Amino acid sequence: MPASSRPRALRLPRLLSRPGFHLFLTGALMVLGFVLAHRLSERSGRDQLSALSTERLELYASNLSAELGRHASLPSLLAIDPTLRALMQTPADAEARHAASQMLARVNVRAGTSQIFVADAQGQVLSASEPLTPPPRLAEAQAQGRTHFFAADPTTGSTDFYLLHVLRQANRTTAVIVVRFNLAPLEATWVDLGARSQGERILVADDQDVVIMSSVQPWKYTVLGHADPSRRQALQASARYPQAIGADLELPASLEVHQGQQVLLPLPGAKPMLAQQRQLVPLGLRLIALSDLTEVRQRAQIAAWGGAAFGASIGLLILYLSSRRRALRQLTQAQTQLQQAHAQLEQLVDSRTAELRQTNDALKAQIAQRLQTEGELLQASKLAVLGQMSAGLSHEVNQPLTALRALARNSQRLLENGRQDAVATNLQLMDDMVERMSQITRQLKSFARKADEQVTGSTPLLDCVRNALLLLEHRSRAMDLQTDVDIPAGLRVRAEANRLEQVLVNLFGNAMDAMQAGDERRLHVRVAAQDAEQRVLVQVQDSGVGVGEAELPHLFEPFFTTKPAGEGLGLGLVISAKIVQEFGGTLRAVRLERGMSFEFDLSVDSWESRDV
């Protein structure tokens, strides 16, 4: 580096190290941030306010057009009414006028208008819904061939809208139908919205630039632009307005819809406002929205101070960076020490992770072994139930076989004697017995297969109950058991059919054991809807001896049983409770006045019958 350039290279670090330079730089950045933030915020706020005002202006215009067009077809419909046609034939007939007045009064009430009347070509009223004086502008509107016009109500000062329909005969005007309705309700709505928002003003001016509707009542019948004394006198003499013309608002003659223009009304206490307008050409109206810019300016001031704070923060940041250079060496040394500590920590984490992985693998193996043991225990419980039922099922099968042998021998003798009808009857009986044995063996095969614990589908509850009762039918018939099943045929629950049948077989078998020594033997199976029919409570109630109060808390403990030794392992209720829990429910026991009730809840998949 040349010797002459070294002082310049060293001058900047010296300058940055001086406090006075940082104070000067911070002040300059604050002023710059203040000016830029104020301008950008004000421009953005005006754009947002203009867009919002444009949407509201379109809404007000649509509302006004809809209100004015609501009764647009009423005069033409009245023109074809037979009562008015009869009046046009004999305008001087008092009865025809009276009939037409009554008809107009009825239509006026039903349509919700203020007044309906029929006038002749000279402006004289022939018939009206109520007594009236024709508006002064009627003759002017007839002469100009208008179909509508605005006029002020001289009594209330509100604006009325008149719809006209000319009646002609032989190419000449004979009469005109006039429908009047008042715009005071719509204007009252605007006044209420303006009072609540305190930020937007709505003006509606006619073709003379005179405000005929406004959300600010003192501005009504003011002039949008500037009116000299001669023009004010002409406007007052036109009889359009019920009171003296107000002050001049001095708004520009042309305003844009989307890009508003800032104006300041020449009124006491007026604030800068954003003016936008929309032309309603078919009606000859100008709809103007004035939005208060006070909030925009307040936000711009807040943003300006925020910009100044941002400039100050940049200056302070530069000061911080200049002082930060001194601590780089210390930071480098600390970073080196931190890297060494990090490496040691990674080694420690790796060793602990390996130990955790080994522990996790051992835990997974234990869980898998437990699940396999539970599955084997569940299948063994099924086989134990089948073993207990084997003697009764053997009798169920041997009895039809004996009957089949007798019927077969009897059929041989009947064939030898030529008795074909009796043979057919015997064959039908034999077919029924074979079908019954087939049904029993199918159900045994289905019950004995190992269920898939991961499958929980839609299962008809009534079919599961019937299948469980079929497996225990030899016991129920031997003990003369009365069975009541109160379950809708279309009820389907979220459960696996084979495992649900195992739960029901365990509960039914326990109930039969409890009722074995009793006089009344009744088994009642029913359901009750829960949670707006999203779940059902399945209840298995018996009339047996029940269990004692001290034994009730231990019913669902493994290997606890109230049966005599050798008749039960005490695992049926434990396995059933686990199966119900996997279905998302809970199995519980409730003591009754006589007997017990075992209840569990299931999720409902569908209802085809609601008679629960």
Side-chain angles (χ1 to χ4, degrees):
M1 178 182 296
S4 60
S5 61
R6 290 179 182 178
R8 296 180 181 179
L10 297 175
R11 188 178 303 170
L12 182 60
R14 292 177 182 177
L15 186 62
L16 292 176
S17 62
R18 294 179 181 178
F21 173 78
H22 287 286
L23 292 177
F24 173 77
L25 180 61
T26 301
L29 292 175
M30 288 179 63
V31 173
L32 181 61
F34 186 91
V35 175
L36 290 178
H38 187 278
R39 291 185 179 181
L40 293 176
S41 177
E42 187 175 15
R43 181 181 300 175
S44 175
R46 288 186 58 177
D47 292 342
Q48 293 179 1
L49 183 60
S50 177
L52 179 61
S53 181
T54 300
E55 295 179 0
R56 292 180 177 176
L57 196 61
E58 292 294 335
L59 180 61
Y60 282 116
S62 301
N63 193 8
L64 180 59
S65 300
E67 182 68 20
L68 298 181
R70 187 158 55 98
H71 302 290
S73 60
L74 182 58
S76 58
L77 293 176
L78 291 173
I80 61 176
D81 188 88
T83 305
L84 292 186
R85 287 181 175 272
L87 176 62
M88 293 299 100
Q89 297 296 329
T90 57
D93 189 358
E95 293 184 0
R97 289 188 175 190
H98 180 68
S101 298
Q102 289 184 337
M103 184 274 293
L104 293 178
R106 291 192 300 269
V107 173
N108 183 52
V109 172
R110 293 177 181 175
T113 55
S114 300
Q115 200 174 56
I116 305 176
F117 64 91
V118 181
D120 59 13
Q122 289 74 32
Q124 298 297 323
V125 177
L126 300 178
S127 178
S129 59
E130 57 186 37
L132 59 91
T133 301
R137 294 200 62 193
L138 179 59
E140 176 188 350
Q142 287 182 281
Q144 296 177 356
R146 293 189 177 185
T147 59
H148 61 269
F149 66 90
F150 292 88
D153 191 334
T155 58
T156 63
S158 59
T159 304
D160 292 333
F161 184 64
Y162 291 83
L163 293 170
L164 284 70
H165 182 80
V166 178
L167 300 177
R168 300 179 182 274
Q169 290 184 357
N171 295 327
R172 67 183 184 86
T173 301
T174 59
V176 61
I177 301 175
V178 182
V179 176
R180 178 178 73 89
F181 56 93
N182 191 264
L183 298 178
L186 179 60
E187 191 174 15
T189 303
W190 292 358
V191 171
D192 180 63
L193 291 176
R196 284 186 292 177
S197 64
Q198 296 294 330
E200 189 174 57
R201 307 291 182 264
I202 299 297
L203 306 176
V204 178
D206 60 5
D207 54 354
Q208 299 296 326
D209 286 344
V210 177
V211 178
I212 61 174
M213 296 179 65
S214 174
S215 60
V216 182
Q217 289 300 309
W219 294 359
K220 201 168 182 180
Y221 302 116
T222 57
V223 181
L224 292 181
H226 175 73
D228 52 21
S230 60
R231 187 184 174 200
R232 287 179 174 274
Q233 186 176 3
L235 291 174
Q236 192 65 43
S238 64
R240 289 188 176 189
Y241 315 107
Q243 60 191 41
I245 301 301
D248 298 338
L249 299 181
E250 296 185 0
L251 292 175
S254 62
L255 295 172
E256 296 184 6
V257 178
H258 300 288
Q259 295 296 331
Q261 183 174 349
Q262 181 174 338
V263 297
L264 181 62
L265 302 181
L267 298 175
K271 301 178 181 179
M273 307 191 81
L274 187 69
Q276 295 172 268
Q277 79 168 9
R278 189 184 188 283
Q279 295 281 355
L280 300 178
V281 178
L283 300 173
L285 301 177
R286 291 174 62 189
L287 183 62
I288 299 175
L290 298 175
S291 303
D292 193 356
L293 290 172
T294 303
E295 186 176 354
V296 174
R297 292 193 168 189
Q298 292 176 352
R299 292 180 180 177
Q301 292 178 357
I302 295 174
W305 287 112
F310 180 73
S313 64
I314 292 179
L316 295 176
L317 179 62
I318 295 175
L319 177 62
Y320 164 75
L321 292 177
S322 64
S323 62
R324 183 175 176 272
R325 296 178 60 220
R326 304 172 187 175
L328 288 177
R329 294 180 180 179
Q330 298 177 359
L331 180 63
T332 303
Q333 294 176 358
Q335 186 176 4
T336 302
Q337 296 175 359
L338 182 62
Q339 289 177 352
Q340 294 176 356
H342 181 70
Q344 295 176 359
L345 181 62
E346 284 186 348
Q347 293 178 358
L348 180 61
V349 170
D350 291 340
S351 62
R352 295 296 176 84
T353 303
E355 295 177 1
L356 181 62
R357 186 180 296 108
Q358 294 176 358
T359 305
N360 191 25
D361 293 340
L363 181 60
K364 288 182 179 180
Q366 293 178 3
I367 293 175
Q369 184 178 3
R370 183 182 63 84
L371 293 177
Q372 181 180 2
T373 304
E374 288 182 355
E376 294 175 354
L377 182 62
L378 182 64
Q379 188 67 15
S381 175
K382 285 186 181 181
L383 297 178
V385 172
L386 289 176
Q388 293 174 359
M389 296 187 301
S390 60
L393 294 174
S394 175
H395 178 71
E396 287 291 316
V397 174
N398 287 332
Q399 185 177 6
L401 288 175
T402 304
L404 285 174
R405 185 182 300 109
L407 289 172
R409 294 176 179 176
N410 189 20
S411 298
Q412 291 178 353
R413 296 191 183 95
L414 292 175
L415 285 174
E416 294 174 356
N417 297 331
R419 297 175 60 185
Q420 304 293 332
D421 296 338
V423 173
T425 302
N426 287 348
L427 291 176
Q428 182 62 42
L429 292 174
M430 295 168 66
D431 182 72
D432 295 341
M433 293 180 182
V434 171
E435 177 61 26
R436 176 172 178 79
M437 289 189 295
S438 175
Q439 184 179 6
I440 293 174
T441 55
R442 282 199 306 269
Q443 186 57 33
L444 285 174
K445 181 179 179 181
S446 174
F447 183 78
R449 70 178 177 86
K450 189 173 183 180
D452 188 354
E453 297 184 0
Q454 303 299 325
V455 177
T456 301
S458 177
T459 301
L461 181 58
L462 184 58
D463 292 349
C464 293
V465 172
R466 289 174 177 172
N467 292 336
L469 290 175
L470 178 63
L471 291 176
L472 299 171
E473 186 178 5
H474 62 285
R475 293 188 59 187
S476 61
R477 188 167 55 250
M479 63 186 298
D480 193 17
L481 177 65
Q482 297 181 7
T483 305
D484 297 331
V485 179
D486 187 9
I487 298 176
L491 175 60
R492 303 182 70 90
V493 295
R494 302 292 298 177
E496 197 274 327
N498 190 264
R499 291 192 291 164
L500 180 57
E501 290 176 9
Q502 183 177 359
V503 173
L504 294 173
V505 167
N506 286 334
L507 297 181
F508 293 166
N510 290 342
M512 292 179 184
D513 293 338
M515 294 184 291
Q516 191 69 37
D519 297 333
E520 181 183 0
R521 300 168 182 174
R522 180 181 296 275
L523 178 65
H524 188 191
V525 185
R526 66 188 187 95
V527 296
Q530 293 182 328
D531 296 338
E533 299 187 352
Q534 297 300 316
R535 300 185 68 84
V536 291
L537 181 66
V538 183
Q539 297 176 327
V540 179
Q541 300 175 352
D542 61 71
S543 59
V545 295
V547 296
E549 191 69 31
E551 299 171 340
L552 189 62
H554 306 286
L555 286 180
F556 297 98
E557 295 178 0
F559 305 108
F560 177 81
T561 179
T562 59
K563 299 177 183 180
E567 294 186 9
L569 298 177
L571 295 176
L573 290 178
V574 177
I575 294 174
S576 299
K578 180 180 180 299
I579 295 174
V580 172
Q581 185 179 7
E582 292 175 355
F583 292 160
T586 303
L587 178 63
R588 47 192 172 270
V590 179
R591 295 183 62 192
L592 303 176
E593 292 183 2
R594 181 172 184 180
M596 292 290 295
S597 175
F598 286 86
E599 305 172 349
F600 60 92
D601 54 310
L602 296 173
S603 297
V604 176
D605 184 72
S606 64
W607 286 85
E608 297 178 7
S609 174
R610 302 278 176 164
D611 301 331
V612 178

